[in-house]
Amino acid sequence: MHKVTSLEIAELAGVSQSTVSRALRKSPLVNPETRRRIQRIAREHNYKVDRSASNLRSQHSRTIAMLVHEESGMDSDINPFFVSMLASITRAAAARNYDVLLSFQQLSKNWIADYENSNKAEGIILLGYGGYTDYIRKIELLDNAHVLTWGPVIDGQPGHFVGCDNRRGGYIATRYLLELGHTRIGFLGDISDDCPEFKDRYSGYCDALLQAGLSVDPELQASSHSSMHSGHLAARELFSRGNGFSAIFSSSDLTALGAVHAVQKENLSIPEDVSIVGFDNIPSATHMSPALTTVRQNTVKAGEVMVDTLLRLVRGDYVESQLIQPELIVRDSCGPV
Amino acid sequence: MHKVTSLEIAELAGVSQSTVSRALRKSPLVNPETRRRIQRIAREHNYKVDRSASNLRSQHSRTIAMLVHEESGMDSDINPFFVSMLASITRAAAARNYDVLLSFQQLSKNWIADYENSNKAEGIILLGYGGYTDYIRKIELLDNAHVLTWGPVIDGQPGHFVGCDNRRGGYIATRYLLELGHTRIGFLGDISDDCPEFKDRYSGYCDALLQAGLSVDPELQASSHSSMHSGHLAARELFSRGNGFSAIFSSSDLTALGAVHAVQKENLSIPEDVSIVGFDNIPSATHMSPALTTVRQNTVKAGEVMVDTLLRLVRGDYVESQLIQPELIVRDSCGPV
DNA sequence: CTGAAAGCGCTTACAG
DNA sequence: CTGAAAGCGCTTACAG
């Protein structure tokens, strides 16, 4: 199959190659009628501008790279939330005429440098989970590169971040449970410095309790990372402590899914005996029974903000970390105490 | 930040630009010592070959495109199985020095043509679900393009496919349940022509039953596509028919997850009252309780086979559809009748 | 509004 | 084993 070039389109249209190039780039310099004719001929011949040539000449790849990194290897639960983010970012990029290169790997300084130095991508979006402290150490080495991370937004941290207002998310979830009359509310999630996002959700949980005149009982918190298995274990630990609780705020939906199993194993009903609120609004949250009340992180918006922010970074504009506002989605997993 | 070129590396190394190019491409023509020196200098200056220039000159993009398409829009369950495939394909491509462009969108003839005509990608991998009949109609329009699909392998179908030996998978799952003494085995999955993969799994199920001297009871089959919600409904339908069964073979793990919920809602225990076998071996299958016995589709192998097959297609080699052999993973969700 | 021309940074056939 | 040179297919400054 012969490859059509702009020169051939030019001959067919009876104009110069430069005019073809201008016409297809919608340059205002070209006579509208000429432009239309050229576009028609290009379409008829399935002509597409060669991206390598275009990139080389213009020194822009119009491509961003998306790196999904995991500390723990591939056999862990991949959080469906990240899959949504992946899709949103890809769509947002497409809408701005950018392509997305995908890579799954450990985070390495080389990988990042390679993508920019080789002109494969103008900037990089990092999605992942795992230890924050390790992570931030690697990010520090990269401050010249155009790298944007989905994650916790913390004052003074190196690098550029976009993330959810986790504290606010924790607050609205807990306040909702308080309004239903619950006073003994469990919290499922790792609140160490290595998980600042969960820690912030916990802070919001504490804010709500204190504001309601209640105290925070550390016995009601059980560590869990974002997986069904881990959530199941954490909920069981809460039960085994025997302190009694009528509601659970789970720092992720996957964790909540595991907790639901644990509750049902105790022959308790949701929401009659135990109310549960999750975090993320993954697709399964709608489909499980009872449908899960949860805190939605707006992935569509997040994807757009991330792409726009990255492109500003690429242009050299000043960029601040940004917070996406979460929102409570009320479904069937919570009831009055 | 100044961009380093091969010409500058050449000056630093005291050789010509062509020699730098050869050295970095590991050409045997270059004196080994010279090559090492050039490589060292390139490394020290963070030099990376400009991909646009390299691609333009060599007329190869060393990139494949991966299109994840959905009939049903983004708010459906994304099957974790596809996420594994995505990751495996990306890793396999990376191992072969290929980049992966990602796109989520409806399947369109244009999209495909654009990627090849613009030299963005040498070939395309299609991952998705939804109606097979619609799908095959679109594939038929593309037979010149380098497109490979993960899906059902059917004699005489247009296009190029790699898929799991679904019939065999259905057979080994059902045979295992038969060996445990089950004779009334439910099947969850859509067996219409629009879902040839599930239909094949059902054929394998029938094979095993017939081979054991049992007949196939259509009342024991309930339609379901691959989601928790749909699996939950299908299992409930099976219960409501009141025919009695002691085991369920579910045509996907997501469906099995929904069925587990339905069984537990009936106050029945797994595996004491009902045994369940799934299909896919998604990460949650390990983590749920009881851990799910399932048919594993080897996504790592599948990713490698897909990339290799696509690259052969790109080279113009003759390519046959290929089957990946499934394997039964025994966990805790099945017991003797 | 249009064309001729330069040049982006490589790869590789050709000559030695 | 090495270098000089052509050329991949565009974009865009320059001249008209």
Side-chain angles (χ1 to χ4, degrees), chain B residues 54-309:
Chain B
S54 170
N55 291 349
L56 172 60
R57 181 56 237 238
S58 64
Q59 297 288 44
H60 289 292
S61 59
R62 289 202 82 80
T63 300
I64 64 180
M66 188 157 58
L67 171 54
V68 182
H69 69 98
E70 299 138 326
E71 298 287 311
S72 38
M74 275 306 295
D75 46 338
S76 60
D77 266 328
I78 296 182
N79 197 326
F81 171 75
F82 279 101
V83 182
S84 301
M85 282 294 292
L86 217 110
S88 311
I89 290 169
T90 306
R91 287 172 197 281
R96 286 150 187 78
N97 250 303
Y98 268 74
D99 285 318
V100 174
L101 278 174
L102 179 65
S103 183
F104 287 80
Q105 41 180 287
Q106 303 301 93
L107 193 60
S108 86
K109 201 196 162 197
N110 269 347
W111 190 89
I112 308 280
D114 289 2
Y115 270 63
E116 295 211 29
N117 290 340
S118 65
N119 263 353
K120 281 188 199 176
E122 300 178 11
I124 289 158
I125 285 180
L126 253 29
L127 287 179
Y129 28 104
Y132 173 76
T133 17
D134 258 18
Y135 185 60
I136 209 72
R137 213 170 296 137
K138 288 170 182 165
I139 284 290
E140 264 179 315
L141 306 169
L142 298 171
D143 45 11
N144 277 332
H146 303 126
V147 178
L148 183 65
T149 307
W150 173 263
V153 172
I154 300 175
D155 271 354
Q157 70 188 343
H160 301 277
F161 285 78
V162 171
C164 177
D165 189 338
N166 291 302
R167 186 159 188 166
R168 170 92 193 147
Y171 174 80
I172 58 178
T174 310
R175 195 186 55 190
Y176 174 69
L177 289 170
L178 290 164
E179 283 166 3
L180 287 170
H182 299 278
T183 54
R184 299 286 295 167
I185 303 173
F187 179 91
L188 265 34
D190 183 340
I191 58 172
S192 76
D193 282 343
D194 219 30
C195 295
E197 296 178 89
F198 290 172
K199 196 181 171 191
D200 278 356
R201 291 170 198 179
Y202 186 68
S203 298
Y205 158 93
C206 296
D207 291 348
L209 289 175
L210 296 172
Q211 184 187 302
L214 297 167
S215 59
V216 173
D217 180 356
E219 287 285 297
L220 283 173
Q221 183 268 330
S223 259
S224 171
H225 57 265
S226 190
S227 78
M228 281 179 69
H229 182 57
S230 180
H232 191 250
L233 295 180
R236 274 175 57 178
E237 183 175 336
L238 237 46
F239 280 118
S240 75
R241 288 188 197 152
N243 301 310
F245 54 88
S246 63
I248 293 174
F249 169 40
S250 168
S251 58
S252 96
D253 283 352
L254 237 31
T255 304
L257 248 64
V260 164
H261 276 286
V263 169
Q264 288 170 341
K265 271 224 167 160
E266 299 279 328
N267 279 314
L268 296 171
S269 293
I270 301 166
E272 290 76 8
D273 303 313
V274 180
S275 290
I276 298 193
V277 181
F279 207 107
D280 284 346
N281 195 33
I282 63 175
S284 298
T286 332
H287 300 322
M288 58 193 280
S289 71
L292 185 67
T293 292
T294 191
V295 178
R296 176 184 186 220
Q297 304 200 65
N298 186 338
T299 52
V300 173
K301 171 126 191 250
E304 286 167 358
V305 169
M306 291 210 71
V307 173
D308 286 334
T309 306

Side-chain angles (χ1 to χ4, degrees), chain A residues 9-303:
Chain A
I9 301 299
E11 279 163 17
L12 289 163
V15 295
S16 72
Q17 185 268 333
S18 356
T19 299
V20 171
S21 180
R22 286 196 196 94
L24 296 176
R25 300 177 64 73
K26 304 189 175 60
S27 159
L29 291 175
V30 178
N31 180 309
E33 208 168 300
T34 314
R35 167 157 47 78
R36 274 191 292 276
R37 183 160 44 88
I38 293 174
Q39 283 170 335
R40 180 175 47 73
I41 295 175
R43 207 178 322 113
E44 283 167 5
H45 290 75
N46 274 323
Y47 170 74
K48 284 284 154 190
V49 172
D50 183 294
R51 282 288 292 257
S52 305
S54 171
N55 291 349
L56 173 60
R57 181 56 236 238
S58 64
Q59 297 287 48
H60 289 291
S61 60
R62 289 202 83 80
T63 300
I64 63 180
M66 188 157 57
L67 171 55
V68 183
H69 68 99
E70 298 139 329
E71 298 286 311
S72 39
M74 275 307 295
D75 46 338
S76 60
D77 267 329
I78 297 181
N79 196 326
F81 171 73
F82 280 100
V83 181
S84 301
M85 282 294 292
L86 217 109
S88 310
I89 290 169
T90 306
R91 288 173 197 281
R96 286 150 186 79
N97 250 304
Y98 268 74
D99 285 317
V100 174
L101 279 174
L102 178 65
S103 182
F104 287 79
Q105 40 181 288
Q106 304 300 93
L107 190 60
S108 87
K109 200 196 161 197
N110 268 346
W111 189 91
I112 308 280
D114 288 3
Y115 269 63
E116 295 210 28
N117 290 341
S118 65
N119 262 353
K120 281 186 197 176
E122 300 178 11
I124 291 159
I125 285 180
L126 254 28
L127 286 180
Y129 30 102
Y132 173 76
T133 19
D134 259 18
Y135 185 61
I136 210 73
R137 211 171 296 136
K138 289 169 181 164
I139 283 291
E140 266 179 315
L141 305 169
L142 299 171
D143 45 11
N144 276 331
H146 303 125
V147 178
L148 183 65
T149 308
W150 174 263
V153 172
I154 300 175
D155 272 352
Q157 70 188 343
H160 301 277
F161 284 77
V162 171
C164 176
D165 189 340
N166 291 301
R167 186 159 186 165
R168 170 92 193 147
Y171 174 80
I172 59 179
T174 310
R175 195 185 55 188
Y176 174 67
L177 289 170
L178 289 165
E179 283 166 1
L180 287 171
H182 299 278
T183 53
R184 301 283 299 164
I185 303 173
F187 179 91
L188 265 35
D190 183 339
I191 56 171
S192 75
D193 282 343
D194 219 31
C195 295
E197 296 177 270
F198 291 173
K199 197 182 171 192
D200 279 355
R201 290 170 199 179
Y202 186 66
S203 299
Y205 158 91
C206 296
D207 291 347
L209 288 175
L210 296 173
Q211 185 185 301
L214 298 166
S215 60
V216 174
D217 180 356
E219 288 284 298
L220 284 172
Q221 182 269 330
S223 260
S224 171
H225 57 266
S226 189
S227 79
M228 281 179 68
H229 183 56
S230 180
H232 190 251
L233 295 180
R236 275 174 57 177
E237 185 176 332
L238 237 45
F239 280 118
S240 74
R241 288 189 195 152
N243 302 311
F245 53 88
S246 63
I248 294 176
F249 169 41
S250 169
S251 58
S252 98
D253 282 352
L254 236 34
T255 304
L257 247 66
V260 165
H261 276 288
V263 169
Q264 288 169 340
K265 271 222 166 160
E266 300 278 330
N267 280 313
L268 296 172
S269 295
I270 300 168
E272 291 76 8
D273 304 312
V274 180
S275 291
I276 298 194
V277 181
F279 207 108
D280 286 346
N281 195 34
I282 64 175
S284 299
T286 331
H287 300 322
M288 57 192 280
S289 70
L292 185 67
T293 293
T294 191
V295 178
R296 177 183 185 218
Q297 304 199 65
N298 186 336
T299 53
V300 173
K301 170 122 193 253

